[in-house]
């Protein structure tokens, strides 16, 4: 029994075929209780299951093992809006939690989350899937594992999603949950239109969604900061979730949630870690023309390096596709508040170590340098950090409604600390502030760096 209890549960049925005694051992709950605990973190008192006639082996085989492939992080296919779903084992349930950014513009507040579905074992026959959408409690649902790294959910009782007050009550309730306010509190007409559009678009799905797996970015010791998920301000679109990852001499911010201008999956910003920007003194920082001059000088230097072509400066970028001056939808650019701040860069092999070396250089924009936004640059959150560590040249992706005419535009990446960074959209005279998502996610690590890169390409291709 000790030997069996220490082996992965998936191996035990095969091993049990060796002899009759082994097959008898497989019916011992002690073994399956340990497998539930060690493989899936179930720490509940599984002995209570005996009252319902469900064994620990049933829990392992019919619930945990059967649905193991949907554990982890997922992005729902909700048009341009995307989302972040975390499927976890929670006691004797498997629950799909939709993670939502805090209410705009409180970027440092913790994430919000709500359950979309749950799976549990009510009897020995099979696990029960329940839809949790709406305000009338759990009701019958269905989950289908379409293929590797993809599954879909369906609600079989969508009438549970309706409210007695009709669509108006549903909209008011959604608005309070999504934005923390009423429509009367939002005076900006364009913002009202964006909010109403999102409600109409997302509510039509009725929790019948397809999800595709996403991974957290791999981390290396020489990364500028720890990669991961961040909440960012995007003007009238509110707060959105962005994944920061490092790729040699470049860093990229990929949208996990998006909007009609720059959809989820596109790269909102790309940072060139080879080109530091030394900010002037505090007084000159207030001068937008001075900041613009510094950034455009660096952009011209980048263009010259690209034109020179050599292996040292251009080989990696040649695989990136069109240059900044020749953008294309396949290689997206930057986004802004009302148009949609977001950048979609291409590939760059780069060399590791550049970012960490830059972090160690005692530059003018090093630890604790005073920072202030230039006059005329708008920010959703005026409570941004007033000191920064360093700054780099970057590009952001902007586009018209429906991701039309995407264009990469120059900007400044500002590293404030380990958990916060910002981006100044030069053309839009706008500032986005990003704050790290502090939640811990299990079953979310990529099996390899190649698998992570492939995942980024896949989610981008869906909306390109």
């Amino acid at each position: 029994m000790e030997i069996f209890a220490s082996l992965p549960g998936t191996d035990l049925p095969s091993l049990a075929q060796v002899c009759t005694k082994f097959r008898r051992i497989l019916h011992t709950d002690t073994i399956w209780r340990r497998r539930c605990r060690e493989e899936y973190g179930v720490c509940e008192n599984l002995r209570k299951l005996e009252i319902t006639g469900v064994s620990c082996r049933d829990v392992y085989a019919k619930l945990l093992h059967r649905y193991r492939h949907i554990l982890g992080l997922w992005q729902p296919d909700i048009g341009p809006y995307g989302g972040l779903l975390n499927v976890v084992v929670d006691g004797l349930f498997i629950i799909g939690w939709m993670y939502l950014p805090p209410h705009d513009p409180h970027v440092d507040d913790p994430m919000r989350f709500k359950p979309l579905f749950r799976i549990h074992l009510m009897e020995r026959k099979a696990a029960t899937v329940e839809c949790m959408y709406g305000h009338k409690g759990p009701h019958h649902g269905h989950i289908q594992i379409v293929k590797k790294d993809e599954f879909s959910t369906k609600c079989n009782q969508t009438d549970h999603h309706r409210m007695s007050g009709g669509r108006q009550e549903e909209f008011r309730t959604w608005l309070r949950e999504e934005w923390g306010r009423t429509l009367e509190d939002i005076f900006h007409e364009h913002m009202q239109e964006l909010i109403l559009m999102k409600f109409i678009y997302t509510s039509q799905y009725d929790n019948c969604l397809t999800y595709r797996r996403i991974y957290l970015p791999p981390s290396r010791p020489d990364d500028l900061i720890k990669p991961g998920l961040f909440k960012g301000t995007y003007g009238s679109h509110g707060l959105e979730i962005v994944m920061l990852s490092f790729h040699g001499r470049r860093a990229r911010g990929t949208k996990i949630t998006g909007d009609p201008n720059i959809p989820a999956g596109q790269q909102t910003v790309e940072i060139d870690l080879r080109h530091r920007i030394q900010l002037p003194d505090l007084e000159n920082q207030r001068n937008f023309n001075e900041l613009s001059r510094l950034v455009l000088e660096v952009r011209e230097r980048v263009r010259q390096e690209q034109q020179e072509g050599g292996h040292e400066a251009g080989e990696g970028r040649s695989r990136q596709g069109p240059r900044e001056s020749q953008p294309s939808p396949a290689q997206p650019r930057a986004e802004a508040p009302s148009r949609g701040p977001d950048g979609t860069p291409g590939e760059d092999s780069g060399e590791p170590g550049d970012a960490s070396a830059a972090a160690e250089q005692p530059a003018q924009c090093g630890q604790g340098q005073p920072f202030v936004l230039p006059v005329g640059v708008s920010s959703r959150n005026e409570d941004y950090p007033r000191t920064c560590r360093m700054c780099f040249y970057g590009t952001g992706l902007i586009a018209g409604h429906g991701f039309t005419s995407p264009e990469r535009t120059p900007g400044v990446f500002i590293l404030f600390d380990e958990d916060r960074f910002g981006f100044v959209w030069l053309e839009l005279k706008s500032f986005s502030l990003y704050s790290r998502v502090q939640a811990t996610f299990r079953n979310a690590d990529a099996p390899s760096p190649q698998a992570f890169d492939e995942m980024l390409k896949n989610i981008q291709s869906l909306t390109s």
Side-chain angles (χ1 to χ4, degrees), residues 362-397:
Q364 190 176 356
C365 191
Q367 291 275 1
Q369 180 190 3
F371 171 81
V372 66
L373 286 175
V375 175
V377 172
S378 62
S379 173
R380 296 289 295 176
N381 193 331
E382 293 300 326
D383 189 25
Y384 61 87
R386 294 310 197 266
T387 59
C388 71
R389 290 186 183 180
M390 60 187 67
C391 305
F392 294 91
Y393 172 77
T395 58
L397 184 64

Side-chain angles (χ1 to χ4, degrees), residues 23-39:
R23 286 196 288 274
R24 288 201 302 268
I25 288 177
L26 276 192
H27 293 283
T28 306
D29 253 18
T30 304
I31 293 174
W32 299 106
R33 192 177 301 119
R34 180 168 167 181
R35 300 299 350 123
C36 290
R37 182 178 68 249
E38 294 187 0
E39 292 182 36

